Amino acid sequence: MPAVSKGDGMRGLAVFISDIRNCKSKEAEIKRINKELANIRSKFKGDKALDGYSKKKYVCKLLFIFLLGHDIDFGHMEAVNLLSSNKYTEKQIGYLFISVLVNSNSELIRLINNAIKNDLSSRNPTFMCLALHCIANVGSREMAEAFAGEIPRILVAGDTMDSVKQSAALCLLRLYKTSPDLVLMGEWTSRVVHLLNDQHMGVVTAAISLITCLSQKNPDEFKTCVSLAVSRLSRIVSSASTDLQDYTYYFVPAPWLSCKLLRLLQCYPPPEDGAVKGRLVECLETILNKAQEPPKSKKVQHSNAKNAILFEAISLIIHYDSEPNLLVRACNQLGQFLQHRETNLRYLALESMCTLASSEFSHEAVKTHIETVINALKTERDVSVRQRAADLLYAMCDRSNAKQIVAEMLSYLETADYSIREEMVLKVAILAEKYAVDYSWYVDTILNLIRIAGDYVSEEVWYRVIQIVINRDDVQGYAAKTVFEALQAPACHENMVKVGGYILGEFGNLIAGDPRSSPLVQFNLLHSKFHLCSVPTRALLLSAYIKFINLFPETKSTIQEVLRSDSQIRNSDVELQQRAVEYLKLSSIASTDVLATVLEEMPPFPERESSILAKLKKKKGPGAVSVNELEEGKREGGELNGGGERGGDNSAIATSNASTPSPSADLLGLRAGPPVTAAAPSAGSLLVDVFSEAGVNDDGFLSSAPPSVVSEDPAPPLPESNELLNKFVCKNNGVLFENQLLQIGIKSEYRQNLGRMYLFYGNKTSVQFVTFSTTVTCPGELQSQLNVQSKPVEPLIEGGAQVQQVINIECLTDFSDAPLLNIKFRYGGALQNLTLKLPVTINKFFQPTEMASHDFFQRWKQLSLPQQEAQKIFKANHAMDTEVLKAKLLGLGMALLENVDPNPENFVCAGVIQTKAQQVGSLLRLEPKRASSDVPINRAQQ
Amino acid sequence: MQFMLLFSRQGKLRLQKWYVPLSDKEKKKITRELVQTVLARKPKMCSFLEWRDLKIVYKRYASLYFCCAIEDQDNELITLEIIHRYVELLDKYFGSVCELDIIFNFEKAYFILDEFLLGGEAQETSKKNVLKAIEQADLLQENLDFQIRLLPGVLSPNISSESTGLFQS
């Protein structure tokens, strides 16, 4: 076909494109583009009316510039003009421009919709298709409002051309996806379903996508499609490879349509009608049989198309999960693919087998392929295939093969790709726990995990092993012996030292009878690792030492000497210093009885879902929210070990797992001692949180599981609500909460002691929320500190819609808790009940105050009483960026004072907290220490 | 299907089609990330990969990569053949298509795609019917005086890979 005569070349456009291609540098390109933009602008603004061709050419140039990645903010009107041209190519370019550069200007939208309306009623099929393509490409709500009523009519009208029907079906699908509430099929339902019988294969191909989507949402209304789909499928499957003419693709009859039909059937349970079911089973068998036939062509397109149908059929078989015979055949077929020379097929077979593994009928059949899968894990050259193999091993694991699979995964870990190590570690840890018959195997496995992939062992994993050892006394002696041996290695991972320190501190006595692991040997072994460890690990070891003093009085003098050494008692790290001082004092003044009580063995942990499993679920969940994940991980860990402080101390050995904020301080009641984290903990931690959040992206917190509480009582606040709250300490607008159903946005403004908050509840689903209600409460003493009034909210939220609620806030006096927001509604009959904290924090009522250096320091000095001052030293969680810090501090609401502190590295701020009862002036000083990356903060109040 | 991207071995984006509403910023971010990921993969590797919560299906034809993002329940192999059919359509229309054809006639590449896929779903899989629709449209056009196909090298530096027929490798 001589392409030379194709299309209508626009010479000016071609010249422009080659000019751009000839540009030697980015700068030259931008220069050329700017020149062109100026030219086009002047043409569009010029007095002389442009002819259609020129308009088309310039609009096309703008499009090209936009597609190169540059912003275009004009030309929309000219494109709209082209829509009403009766020359096809002009119209076409106009539509293309509008589809690509969607604009929300309402006047433009009105004009565009008008042009579309004209084309839809033109009865010219080519124009109608163009208009439908445009609606489908833009798919905006405005378009749905204008056309969702009209398109079903076009779709089912007897005199509509086939090509228009095809466009109408998919156009409607797109509108249904964006605005399901506006697309009402009602009276059209049965006629749409009957499109499955249409003579024209193209119409069926297009319509079935629409029917599948509608069936997922309203299965009952569309259930007649099942028998129609089965008979259509049966006709295709049994047809000879040439029957369908142009719908045969590389000797495979209608592969796209076949896949779509099989996909549609997956929206429903197996057909109840025996005849229909028999016919379908026959189809599935034929498809499986065909897979065994020799290929009709050597082309990869032939086998891809054929196998696409096969995999879709297997998905349906797995979906039904009721035909043992088919399930086993599917499994055997996939087994053959596991060794196929096509990488793509091996990948898909591994993936598909993963779901087969969870069926009771095929689980055993899948297990027979274990050697092949292990081999794939070892030899596949593509990491994404190896990943699938690891997934399958995880899925096929049960008590009978756990030891083998865990061993293989462990040995794979030694060479595994960095990108999948962390996930592999989690999987091994979960399998080891889940299928542990004897816990010594479990302990061995986890310690091996730390040895092989220590860097990838997250805190959850080693917390969990400690949890289990503490809860199971039959394994404690073995664990002590094994960690002792593991620590003999000259270089062992820090996580091993943590586990070792913790376990020997608790259960070292169980192996102390053996002279090779006598108390002093144990202590010396641990202490030999001390200087190579980070601060949190050293803190943990110090706690292990004090436990040793209790367990083995003979080690007392040795350990006291260590604690007394300058490197401990004068350590520059406050936490270490405090521990050394307190433990030394404790060991010398407390009686044996007191010591034994204080340093008693850890009580068992409450049973709960493995935090590792939760982490894996999250890892596999949608979206990448790794920062949040990390933060949460830390917090969970803190709890687990008995309320260690955020971001550092994981070694609350000596306390029980009650939540004491600073274990070491509480231990001795020596609060009057060293000047550390004593006063005003709430203010301090607020500030820490401000900075811990610095740099966290605003993509929002994606909770992957919808709340499942069913009680009518307000649910307890979500576990993540504190974190959600912290996100808003320094900002007033953003997304407060989001899950699969609901998104809550927030906008707020504050003046003096008053605030107003706008909450936006968005229904992310296509189904309406009914009996939607919200209540805002102030728990406990907050009631007398904050006055919160909320206006009632509409009880019904349509799918895809958003409602707004206004909340007025008055600050009566200073407060530290946050008000609670409870939301209840029914979604598809199920009650949803969740509680969040409203981000109202005391700093919202700051009034910034400017002052000179002299004033600032004079006031600073005046605020010297202990209750007027709080100091907090904390590690920066992120690299310190001056601009980010400044933005955070401004977000806090105080005035950032320039040229006040003699040290330019420091930040000082001043503000007045406005409450109804009083006004409280506050000064703040932030001293970043870059070398140690500690950020001490001073905060004074008046 | 959520989107389709065509880009060159040098990472230049040649065509982008989005079937889900995203901001321009987000589109650019996704494009950058995917182009990088796909170009980093070796020739014999499998054509599918997991990316965020989507599945990526890609295939290289001469100097051009065709890359589709599909959802979890979508069929990878049939998506590969969607790509192939689109290449066949371009090839038939332009007559042994090469990357230059798509650069200089980008609007045609979009029109052909719209006839074949709409809203991310296959609208018409018959090659004959798609081409018929496009040719009818061509018959309706009127400016017959500018009928030139840009021969590689006439107006632009001849980068040999861009003028290699997509089916020739």
Side-chain angles (χ1 to χ4, degrees), chain A residues 113-124:
Chain A
N113 282 356
N114 245 342
I116 291 177
K117 203 164 275 167
N118 288 338
D119 281 336
L120 282 183
S121 53
S122 71
R123 304 196 131 293
N124 172 337

Side-chain angles (χ1 to χ4, degrees), chain A residues 725 776-788 809-821 836-842 845:
Chain A
L725 185 70
V776 180
T777 49
C778 291
E781 55 178 5
L782 190 60
Q783 228 165 358
S784 57
Q785 296 163 341
L786 212 57
N787 187 1
V788 182
I809 302 151
E810 185 186 16
C811 176
L812 303 173
T813 179
D814 63 317
F815 63 96
S816 53
D817 281 338
L820 298 178
L821 169 69
L836 297 165
K837 292 189 175 175
L838 271 188
V840 183
T841 42
I842 187 73
F845 302 95

Side-chain angles (χ1 to χ4, degrees), chain A residues 321-518:
Chain A
D321 198 15
S322 61
E323 301 285 327
N325 177 35
L326 289 176
L327 280 162
V328 171
R329 277 192 73 185
C331 185
N332 293 340
Q333 183 60 53
L334 294 177
Q336 286 182 20
F337 284 156
L338 286 182
Q339 316 211 37
H340 202 280
R341 59 188 167 77
E342 279 274 328
T343 314
N344 288 346
L345 283 181
R346 295 198 302 274
Y347 176 95
L348 293 175
L350 289 166
E351 188 184 42
S352 189
M353 243 190 204
C354 246
T355 38
L356 269 181
S358 56
S359 161
E360 52 168 324
F361 299 114
S362 49
H363 183 80
E364 288 303 315
V366 171
K367 273 167 63 185
T368 60
H369 298 288
I370 185 167
E371 299 301 334
T372 318
V373 183
I374 287 171
N375 200 37
L377 187 65
K378 287 179 178 159
T379 59
E380 281 292 349
R381 276 187 296 178
D382 184 345
V383 55
S384 42
V385 185
R386 288 196 296 270
Q387 169 87 63
R388 290 283 84 81
D391 286 349
L392 179 53
L393 281 180
Y394 179 74
M396 66 161 73
C397 191
D398 62 19
R399 216 168 278 284
S400 73
N401 57 18
K403 284 203 173 163
Q404 185 189 8
I405 287 179
V406 165
E408 290 295 347
M409 285 174 110
L410 269 177
S411 81
Y412 173 60
L413 254 179
E414 308 215 25
T415 54
D417 313 75
Y418 296 111
S419 58
I420 64 172
R421 279 195 189 183
E422 193 185 352
E423 195 183 317
M424 289 283 293
V425 166
L426 291 175
K427 285 183 163 160
V428 169
I430 290 167
L431 292 178
E433 182 184 337
K434 195 165 165 195
Y435 298 115
V437 182
D438 66 294
Y439 278 85
S440 53
W441 173 69
Y442 169 75
V443 169
D444 284 342
T445 304
I446 302 296
L447 294 185
N448 265 330
L449 212 48
I450 295 174
R451 196 176 48 76
I452 293 168
D455 284 345
Y456 297 88
V457 172
S458 55
E459 293 181 326
E460 286 86 345
V461 172
W462 74 261
Y463 291 159
R464 190 71 185 160
V465 70
I466 284 170
Q467 236 180 24
I468 286 175
V469 168
I470 289 195
N471 287 9
R472 303 197 61 95
D473 45 20
D474 54 334
V475 75
Q476 288 160 355
Y478 181 79
K481 181 167 159 285
T482 322
V483 289
F484 178 79
E485 279 161 12
L487 287 173
Q488 304 285 337
C492 61
H493 195 273
E494 191 164 334
N495 280 337
M496 188 70 88
V497 179
K498 288 178 186 163
V499 176
Y502 203 121
I503 288 183
L504 291 181
E506 293 291 321
F507 309 114
N509 55 330
L510 299 177
I511 56 167
D514 188 326
R516 284 166 301 177
S517 53
S518 71

Side-chain angles (χ1 to χ4, degrees), chain A residues 78 91 379 521 605 640 677 696 724 756 832 865:
Chain A
E78 285 72 17
K91 195 187 269 294
T379 59
V521 174
F605 289 90
L640 194 147
T677 63
V696 174
L724 297 173
R756 174 168 294 172
Q832 307 291 323
L865 293 175

Side-chain angles (χ1 to χ4, degrees), chain A residues 1 3-11 13-15 17-18 21-22 53 56 60 63-64 66-67 69 71 87-89 92-93 96 126 133 136-137 163 166-167 170-171 173-174 177-178 200 202 205-206 209 216 246-247 249-250 255-256 259-260 263 300-301 304-305 307-309 311-312 343-345 347-348 351 381-382 384-385 388 620 622-623 699, chain B residues 12-14 16-21 24 27-29 41 44-50 52-53 55 59 61 71 73-78 80-82 84-85 88 92-95 100 103-104 106-108 110-111 114-116 118-119 121-129 131 135-138 140-143 146-150 155-157 159 162:
Chain A
M1 187 177 316
V4 189
S5 68
K6 289 284 171 188
D8 90 307
M10 288 170 273
R11 197 174 169 83
L13 175 67
V15 169
I17 294 176
S18 40
R21 289 168 51 76
N22 284 329
Y53 171 77
K56 178 180 81 169
C60 217
L63 197 53
F64 180 78
F66 177 78
L67 290 170
D71 293 331
K87 291 186 180 166
Y88 181 73
T89 53
Q92 204 181 18
I93 295 290
L96 180 60
T126 325
H133 292 177
N137 283 328
S163 61
Q166 286 166 275
S167 299
L170 292 176
C171 184
L173 170 62
R174 176 70 199 267
K177 281 185 182 163
T178 36
H200 191 281
T205 306
S209 297
Q216 281 166 341
D246 213 29
Y247 289 92
Y249 179 83
Y250 291 86
W256 284 279
C259 284
K260 285 185 180 192
R263 175 88 196 82
V300 67
Q301 284 75 31
N304 278 351
N307 291 326
I309 300 172
F311 275 104
E312 208 60 66
T343 314
N344 288 346
L345 283 181
Y347 176 95
L348 293 175
E351 188 184 42
R381 276 187 296 178
D382 184 345
S384 42
V385 185
R388 290 283 84 81
K620 289 299 226 176
D699 287 352
Chain B
K12 287 225 186 257
L13 189 60
R14 297 303 184 201
Q16 43 175 320
K17 189 77 189 177
W18 305 87
Y19 298 111
V20 283
D24 286 344
K27 286 177 186 169
K28 281 184 187 165
K29 192 173 155 220
R41 290 177 61 85
K44 289 277 172 195
M45 286 186 166
C46 98
S47 312
F48 320 125
L49 51 117
E50 279 183 335
R52 300 195 186 172
D53 52 342
K55 301 195 280 198
K59 186 161 179 181
Y61 288 88
E71 281 150 64
Q73 71 275 17
D74 291 338
N75 189 312
E76 290 99 335
L77 285 174
I78 209 72
L80 264 187
E81 295 318 299
I82 288 217
H84 188 78
R85 173 109 301 178
E88 283 184 348
K92 198 91 180 161
Y93 180 79
F94 287 108
L100 278 183
I103 297 171
F104 280 96
F106 66 96
E107 78 285 8
K108 292 288 176 202
Y110 278 97
F111 298 147
D114 269 355
E115 291 294 338
F116 175 43
L118 194 58
E121 298 281 336
Q123 171 175 225
E124 176 56 86
T125 60
S126 152
K127 200 156 59 174
K128 223 165 59 193
N129 289 353
L131 291 171
E135 269 157 31
Q136 262 174 2
D138 278 341
L140 288 171
Q141 54 85 20
E142 55 294 294
N143 289 311
F146 285 107
Q147 305 300 306
I148 41 152
R149 179 187 180 199
L150 293 150
L155 279 167
S156 63
I159 300 171
E162 291 179 346

Side-chain angles (χ1 to χ4, degrees), chain A residues 146-393:
Chain A
F147 303 110
E150 173 67 10
I151 296 170
R153 224 185 304 276
I154 297 176
L155 175 60
V156 297
D159 59 347
T160 305
M161 298 269 293
D162 291 328
S163 61
V164 178
K165 275 190 193 166
Q166 286 166 275
S167 299
L170 292 176
C171 184
L172 203 53
L173 170 62
R174 176 70 199 267
L175 293 185
Y176 185 77
K177 281 185 182 163
T178 36
S179 316
D181 53 314
L182 295 176
V183 178
L184 303 168
M185 295 313 293
E187 48 180 323
W188 312 115
T189 304
S190 100
R191 292 171 76 182
V192 169
V193 171
H194 276 88
L195 289 173
L196 287 176
N197 268 340
D198 201 283
Q199 299 233 308
H200 191 281
M201 295 279 274
V203 173
V204 191
T205 306
I208 192 167
S209 297
L210 172 67
I211 296 168
T212 305
C213 182
L214 292 169
S215 297
Q216 281 166 341
K217 300 286 161 60
N218 327 284
D220 280 347
E221 286 167 52
F222 283 83
K223 65 169 179 252
T224 48
C225 70
V226 173
S227 60
L228 293 180
V230 170
S231 57
R232 190 95 213 191
L233 180 68
S234 156
R235 265 180 286 159
I236 296 172
V237 169
S238 57
S239 64
S241 55
T242 50
D243 284 358
L244 301 171
Q245 291 158 353
D246 213 29
Y247 289 92
T248 296
Y249 179 83
Y250 291 86
F251 303 103
V252 182
W256 284 279
L257 182 51
S258 305
C259 284
K260 285 185 180 192
L261 285 164
L262 289 161
R263 175 88 196 82
L264 169 62
L265 291 170
Q266 287 169 59
C267 302
Y268 290 92
E272 283 158 21
D273 182 327
V276 177
K277 188 170 178 195
R279 209 162 169 202
L280 177 56
V281 169
E282 222 169 84
C283 286
L284 295 171
E285 277 168 348
T286 313
I287 293 170
L288 285 166
N289 291 341
K290 278 191 180 170
Q292 297 298 324
E293 288 170 12
K296 294 197 174 67
S297 155
K298 285 214 169 69
K299 289 246 161 77
V300 67
Q301 284 75 31
H302 170 71
S303 67
N304 278 351
K306 192 168 140 183
N307 291 326
I309 300 172
L310 177 65
F311 275 104
E312 208 60 66
I314 291 177
S315 296
L316 182 62
I317 293 169
I318 296 171
H319 167 75
Y320 286 164
D321 198 15
S322 61
E323 301 285 327
N325 177 35
L326 289 176
L327 280 162
V328 171
R329 277 192 73 185
C331 185
N332 293 340
Q333 183 60 53
L334 294 177
Q336 286 182 20
F337 284 156
L338 286 182
Q339 316 211 37
H340 202 280
R341 59 188 167 77
E342 279 274 328
T343 314
N344 288 346
L345 283 181
R346 295 198 302 274
Y347 176 95
L348 293 175
L350 289 166
E351 188 184 42
S352 189
M353 243 190 204
C354 246
T355 38
L356 269 181
S358 56
S359 161
E360 52 168 324
F361 299 114
S362 49
H363 183 80
E364 288 303 315
V366 171
K367 273 167 63 185
T368 60
H369 298 288
I370 185 167
E371 299 301 334
T372 318
V373 183
I374 287 171
N375 200 37
L377 187 65
K378 287 179 178 159
T379 59
E380 281 292 349
R381 276 187 296 178
D382 184 345
V383 55
S384 42
V385 185
R386 288 196 296 270
Q387 169 87 63
R388 290 283 84 81
D391 286 349
L392 179 53
L393 281 180

